[in-house]
Amino acid sequence: MENFKMIAKTFFGFEEILAKELQMLGAQDVEPGIRMVSFKGDKGFMYKANLALRTALKILKPIYYFKATNDENLYKGISGINWSRYINSNQTFVIDTTVHSDYFKHSQFVSQKCKDAIVDQFRNKTGQRPSVDKDFPDLRINIHIDKDQVSVALDTSGNSLHQRGYKTATNIAPINEVLAAGMLLLSGWDGQGDFLDPMCGSGTILAEAAMIACNIPANINRKEFGFEKWNDWDNDLFDQILESLLKKVREFHYTIKGFDKAPSAVNKAKDNIKNANLEEYVTVSENNFFISEKTTQGPLHMVFNPPYGERLDIEMEEFYKNIGDTLKKNYPGTNAWFITANLEALKFVGLKPSRKIKLFNASLEARLVKYEMYEGSKRTKFQTQEDTE
């Protein structure tokens, strides 16, 4: 099987860790860009990337590039592709368009023009035409226009890869699965210790932490991928790839715990952990972080997503001060990481972060911050220092 170019899309700030994931999986020619990483692999690797990558949102397979400065060029360019290689006249398709160009202002107009070119090609050849289905298309086509450069790609993933398939229940402000996995990888979580999410909501961070710890493929619970409806779909090859990934699952000898003060969140988290078949690794209970304390020996790795006040009503200043106080008093020997889009609120934590990483949660600019809580004398020394700062 020959290698071809692919593009993995991701969130801002995850390009380097996605590139690293791709290299570890065995991709060729890995090159990080902005919100994306390009790489090369064969059809089997395309299946593998969709199954295993934790920080990819989509895997695209580029099939054609051309220049266009008006709708005529665009129509002609799309007509230059032999679409019967990818789709039959009785199948369905949808076009996703992104436009950064002075020549084309509206992505919807571009999608419409490209659709016309595809449909006309079939009608002229066979008298029949494929139709558009926005919800369950057989083929997702991705059009990207940057100035006058048009790239046409097939979407190998189908629905976004953050839809892992284990979440049936979500809370008021759930965190995206890819964002959760990326935060965990950036925090250095590798499953070699105890883990806690003290504001676990519907359990996304817990599920992703357990899958990383045990090296379970991120998208093992997904019902389907885009490439399963393609003309060249190879079921045997897919099963072979899946089997080889499952052979790499490893034992986990520590604890992964989560709690939340809302009983409804705890129930949802338990359901989602059960759906992901991760119950033997993760325990979820009802508890309020602000009156909790560390219950494990040795280093603790903590990652959480506190409410920002965007969709949840909280008294911001007091809430973030409580986070700092609780970490300081009750969690010695802990590396605590959390994400917030409320950059003002960080001032109230009262501790100095040892790392700050810029990320986006949906459209909100956010920071992933790390606080190191020391054991014993070092801890007291550092706190006295921080208290005087």
Side-chain angles (χ1 to χ4, degrees):
M1 280 190 290
E2 83 230 39
N3 281 358
F4 49 86
K5 184 183 169 178
M6 287 175 267
I7 289 168
K9 310 270 275 190
T10 189
F11 289 127
F12 175 89
F14 288 174
E15 298 89 351
E16 292 301 328
I17 48 171
L18 176 53
K20 194 176 164 189
E21 275 198 274
L22 279 158
Q23 279 155 349
M24 303 273 286
L25 269 188
Q28 311 283 310
D29 299 349
V30 177
E31 283 182 38
I34 296 166
R35 294 190 173 86
M36 55 77 80
V37 179
S38 70
F39 63 98
K40 281 187 179 157
D42 60 13
K43 193 203 298 193
F45 192 83
M46 179 177 85
Y47 295 170
K48 192 178 178 182
N50 274 284
L51 277 164
L53 290 174
R54 302 182 193 284
T55 54
L57 291 161
K58 290 250 178 215
I59 311 291
L60 302 176
K61 178 185 179 179
I63 54 167
Y64 199 58
Y65 297 93
F66 62 94
K67 282 187 175 186
T69 51
N70 57 41
D71 47 341
E72 266 172 61
N73 299 156
L74 181 65
Y75 182 93
K76 202 170 160 191
I78 297 294
S79 303
I81 300 167
N82 177 7
W83 287 102
S84 59
R85 280 183 63 186
Y86 309 109
I87 189 174
N88 307 325
S89 55
N90 56 358
Q91 287 182 300
T92 59
F93 70 99
V94 71
I95 297 174
D96 300 321
T97 302
T98 320
V99 177
H100 305 287
S101 170
D102 292 336
Y103 304 110
F104 301 97
K105 296 282 190 266
H106 303 292
S107 56
Q108 223 171 338
F109 170 78
V110 171
S111 297
Q112 187 64 38
K113 206 70 194 160
C114 296
K115 183 214 78 169
D116 291 345
I118 295 169
V119 165
D120 292 350
Q121 185 184 96
F122 275 95
R123 206 187 269 127
N124 295 339
K125 279 185 190 169
T126 66
Q128 293 176 305
R129 49 153 288 186
S131 52
V132 171
D133 181 342
K134 286 182 176 152
D135 300 320
F136 304 104
D138 295 312
L139 186 70
R140 266 187 183 277
I141 299 161
N142 189 281
I143 308 278
H144 187 276
I145 304 183
D146 188 22
K147 303 187 182 73
D148 64 350
Q149 301 290 322
V150 183
S151 70
V152 183
L154 307 182
D155 184 338
T156 77
S157 307
N159 287 339
S160 167
L161 291 175
H162 82 274
Q163 295 175 14
R164 306 272 204 237
Y166 61 77
K167 245 193 203 173
T168 50
T170 56
N171 275 14
I172 187 164
I175 191 164
N176 175 301
E177 291 81 339
V178 165
L179 181 60
M183 282 163 49
L184 287 158
L185 292 172
L186 283 172
S187 79
W189 169 245
D190 57 2
Q192 300 305 301
D194 293 308
F195 183 89
L196 175 67
D197 177 352
M199 299 183 188
C200 72
S202 55
T204 311
I205 291 174
L206 296 172
E208 296 296 324
M211 290 198 285
I212 290 169
C214 304
N215 203 28
I216 295 167
N219 289 305
I220 184 85
N221 297 296
R222 254 176 90 107
K223 297 286 179 281
E224 68 167 8
F225 297 93
F227 53 69
E228 290 180 48
K229 292 176 173 175
W230 290 10
N231 299 341
D232 67 350
W233 160 239
D234 187 336
N235 207 147
D236 293 339
L237 177 62
F238 181 81
D239 289 346
Q240 209 180 313
I241 298 288
L242 181 55
E243 208 174 307
S244 74
L245 285 169
L246 291 175
K247 279 187 184 141
K248 295 187 177 125
V249 170
R250 56 180 178 233
E251 289 289 312
F252 175 65
H253 304 289
Y254 300 91
T255 60
I256 295 178
K257 292 179 180 170
F259 44 77
D260 202 286
K261 64 175 193 177
S264 62
V266 171
N267 291 332
K268 284 171 187 168
K270 283 180 175 171
D271 282 350
N272 291 333
I273 295 300
K274 191 178 174 183
N275 292 336
N277 301 307
L278 297 169
E279 286 168 297
E280 61 179 296
Y281 309 111
V282 181
T283 52
V284 187
S285 56
E286 194 184 321
N287 200 351
N288 180 346
F289 176 49
F290 298 146
I291 53 172
S292 73
E293 54 188 37
K294 188 180 172 194
T295 55
T296 49
Q297 295 301 309
L300 177 65
H301 197 98
M302 185 191 283
V303 180
F304 61 109
N305 173 36
Y308 305 165
E310 272 291 313
R311 288 173 281 188
L312 295 164
D313 237 5
I314 51 170
E315 180 44 61
M316 204 50 72
E317 190 169 334
E318 185 192 351
F319 187 84
Y320 279 80
K321 181 184 180 299
N322 283 344
I323 290 179
D325 291 349
T326 307
L327 288 173
K328 207 168 5 182
K329 294 191 184 89
N330 301 348
Y331 283 91
T334 298
N335 278 333
W337 294 77
F338 68 81
I339 187 172
T340 182
N342 193 321
L343 308 185
E344 272 301 289
L346 285 175
K347 294 173 186 165
F348 306 121
V349 176
L351 299 168
K352 208 176 166 103
S354 58
R355 297 255 339 250
K356 266 188 187 178
I357 302 170
K358 180 178 168 181
L359 298 174
F360 283 85
N361 187 354
S363 59
L364 302 170
E365 187 180 316
R367 292 290 179 279
L368 177 64
V369 287
K370 178 189 187 183
Y371 297 96
E372 292 178 52
M373 300 294 120
Y374 295 98
E375 294 272 12
S377 58
K378 197 173 181 189
R379 178 170 164 241
T380 352
K381 186 181 83 183
F382 269 83
Q383 273 174 13
T384 342
Q385 218 178 331
E386 279 157 355
D387 291 342
T388 54
E389 274 176 15

